[in-house]
Amino acid sequence: KRQRQLNRERAYQERCEAQRQAEIALAKEQHRQQVLEAAEAKKRKTMLEARLKQEKKAREQRELERVQREEYTKNLKTRIFKTLMDKAEMQSKVWEAKDRETQDRIRSEKEAKRLD
């Protein structure tokens, strides 16, 4: 009877120890999963930050290119306008010279008629 009692107590203690070991193994597995999930979350966060940084850099590059295109277009329009204005000014000077030449010729012809 005493031996059976001891056997039952030993069996109970073994079951308790087995349950405790199972709980420890479960806790270790849960901890391992948490560590893996934290590492994965950190990796995702790092990748997201890198992607956002890359997108920001791309936006800044596009903005810079847009500004450069606008500046180039503005300068081109200014050069074209200046060229046209210079041509118009030169044409105006040519016309003025022709007008003076014509007026001088007319005056000369009048003078020549008057002298005749």
Side-chain angles (χ1 to χ4, degrees), residues 82-95:
K82 185 173 181 340
T83 301
L84 290 174
M85 290 302 290
D86 289 346
K87 279 185 175 181
E89 188 176 326
M90 289 299 289
Q91 187 65 42
S92 175
K93 287 179 181 179
V94 166
W95 288 338

Side-chain angles (χ1 to χ4, degrees), residues 20-106:
R20 191 173 74 79
Q21 289 299 324
E23 289 172 354
I24 289 171
L26 178 62
K28 283 181 180 179
E29 179 59 25
Q30 287 174 341
H31 180 263
R32 187 180 74 77
Q33 286 293 329
Q34 288 174 343
V35 168
L36 289 175
E37 288 172 3
E40 185 64 28
K42 185 175 182 180
K43 181 180 173 184
R44 280 193 308 269
K45 181 181 175 188
T46 302
M47 289 174 66
L48 175 64
E49 288 172 348
R51 185 175 58 84
L52 291 175
K53 185 177 179 182
Q54 188 177 22
E55 288 174 358
K56 181 181 178 187
K57 187 176 179 181
R59 273 193 311 276
E60 289 171 350
Q61 182 64 32
R62 285 192 304 273
E63 178 65 15
L64 175 65
E65 290 169 358
R66 183 190 65 78
V67 168
Q68 288 174 338
R69 279 193 311 273
E70 286 178 357
E71 189 67 25
Y72 173 79
T73 302
K74 178 182 170 189
N75 289 338
L76 183 62
K77 286 178 180 178
T78 301
R79 285 195 312 267
I80 291 170
F81 182 73
K82 185 173 181 340
T83 301
L84 290 174
M85 290 302 290
D86 289 346
K87 279 185 175 181
E89 188 176 326
M90 289 299 289
Q91 187 65 42
S92 175
K93 287 179 181 179
V94 166
W95 288 338
E96 287 175 12
K98 285 183 178 180
D99 284 349
R100 277 194 303 266
E101 186 180 304
T102 303
Q103 288 174 358
D104 289 346
R105 192 171 30 92
I106 291 171

